[in-house]
């Protein structure tokens, strides 16, 4: 199904933009290309026959891409485990003026993982380097082994975050005949555990 979707995007894009995005590995442009594809599908289908399409974003940091999906008619399910970032994201959602798009956004302050209702230690400074575990992913330091990193850890605020399997969200959507159009995962090296929860 994914291959047919990508093929239809490629064939319908005479400017070659999609091929260029793939060659340049620009994830932001690829996200927008896929959203535009599904937005066209949604808008060109009779309302009574329309298949609702969902986009899933794991590891948000900010609301931008979730809002882009909702603004194009997709149901957006977006996960951000960092309490600091999640608070900022919910404030951004409250300020949205497009009420229809706002209702399509579903936010989860949970860590997508291989299990549900467990907890993981999370480095929650509110930055793009927030991650599961006591590691500074940008400086390649472990908080437990480095005194400088320990100081950073205190300011970063290590917190316990509840986990959830993506299957817990995806399965009900599929039962409602909704299509999972796009899944974006950016979890600073925790991706294998996320995929473990997506069977």
């Amino acid at each position: 199904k994914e291959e047919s979707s990508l093929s239809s995007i490629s064939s319908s894009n005479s400017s070659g933009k999609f091929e260029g995005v793939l060659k340049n590995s620009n994830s932001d442009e690829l996200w927008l290309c896929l959203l535009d594809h599904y937005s066209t599908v949604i808008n060109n289908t009779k309302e009574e026959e329309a298949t609702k399409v969902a986009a899933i974003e794991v590891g948000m940091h900010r609301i931008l891409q979730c809002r882009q999906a909702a603004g194009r008619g997709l149901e957006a399910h977006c996960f951000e485990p960092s309490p600091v970032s999640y608070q900022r994201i919910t404030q951004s959602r409250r300020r949205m003026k497009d009420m229809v798009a706002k209702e399509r956004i579903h936010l989860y302050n949970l860590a997508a993982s291989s299990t549900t209702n467990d907890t993981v230690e999370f480095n929650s400074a509110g930055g793009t380097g927030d991650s599961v575990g006591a590691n500074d992913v940008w400086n390649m330091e472990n908080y437990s082994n480095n005194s400088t990193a320990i100081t950073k850890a205190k300011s970063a605020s290590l917190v316990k975050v509840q986990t959830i399997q993506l299957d817990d969200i995806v399965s009900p959507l599929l039962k409602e005949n909704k299509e999972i159009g796009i899944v974006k995962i950016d979890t600073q090296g925790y991706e294998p555990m996320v995929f473990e929860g997506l069977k």
Side-chain angles (χ1 to χ4, degrees):
K1 192 167 190 179
E2 181 181 356
E3 289 180 0
S4 64
S5 295
L6 295 180
S7 174
S8 64
I9 298 170
S10 180
S11 62
S12 66
N13 193 334
S14 58
S15 68
K17 179 181 177 184
F18 183 74
E19 291 87 342
V21 169
L22 287 178
K23 288 177 184 176
N24 296 323
S25 299
N26 187 320
S27 60
D28 291 337
E29 286 186 30
L30 178 58
W31 174 260
L32 289 174
C33 279
L34 291 168
L35 290 180
D36 288 341
H37 165 70
Y38 282 106
S39 178
T40 301
V41 171
I42 292 168
N43 292 331
N44 290 342
T45 306
K46 293 179 182 178
E47 187 173 346
E48 63 274 13
E49 299 173 356
T51 297
K52 291 190 177 180
V53 180
I56 297 175
E57 182 182 13
V58 181
M60 297 174 66
H61 178 61
R62 55 182 180 161
I63 201 170
L64 176 64
Q65 291 181 324
C66 192
R67 186 176 59 209
Q68 289 170 337
R72 286 166 171 78
L74 285 79
E75 188 175 306
H77 293 265
C78 307
F79 296 78
E80 176 50 60
S82 167
V84 176
S85 294
Y86 184 78
Q87 183 179 17
R88 181 180 62 247
I89 290 163
T90 55
Q91 289 171 351
S92 296
R93 183 182 181 275
R94 280 196 292 270
R95 290 195 296 268
M96 286 178 61
K97 294 181 180 178
D98 184 340
M99 300 306 291
V100 176
K102 185 176 180 179
E103 288 302 312
R104 292 191 190 111
I105 294 176
H106 307 272
L107 299 176
Y108 306 87
N109 187 201
L110 299 166
S113 189
S114 59
T115 59
T116 294
N117 291 329
D118 284 330
T119 58
V120 291
E121 194 174 57
F122 195 83
N123 167 16
S124 177
T128 56
D130 287 0
S131 59
V132 172
N135 294 299
D136 181 337
V137 296
W138 297 117
N139 296 311
M140 300 301 289
E141 294 176 323
N142 185 284
Y143 297 139
S144 60
N145 298 328
N146 184 293
S147 58
T148 304
I150 290 171
T151 302
K152 292 179 183 178
K154 289 179 180 177
S155 62
S157 180
L158 290 174
V159 297
K160 296 286 187 182
V161 177
Q162 186 175 335
T163 64
I164 187 172
Q165 291 180 308
L166 285 183
D167 278 344
D168 293 351
I169 302 299
V170 170
S171 295
L173 293 175
L174 295 177
K175 287 178 182 177
E176 295 171 9
N177 293 320
K178 293 177 181 175
E179 179 179 341
I180 309 301
I182 313 169
V183 178
K184 172 198 167 251
I185 301 173
D186 181 3
T187 55
Q188 308 294 348
Y190 197 68
E191 287 84 358
M193 300 299 286
V194 176
F195 282 114
E196 278 289 313
L198 185 60
K199 303 294 186 183

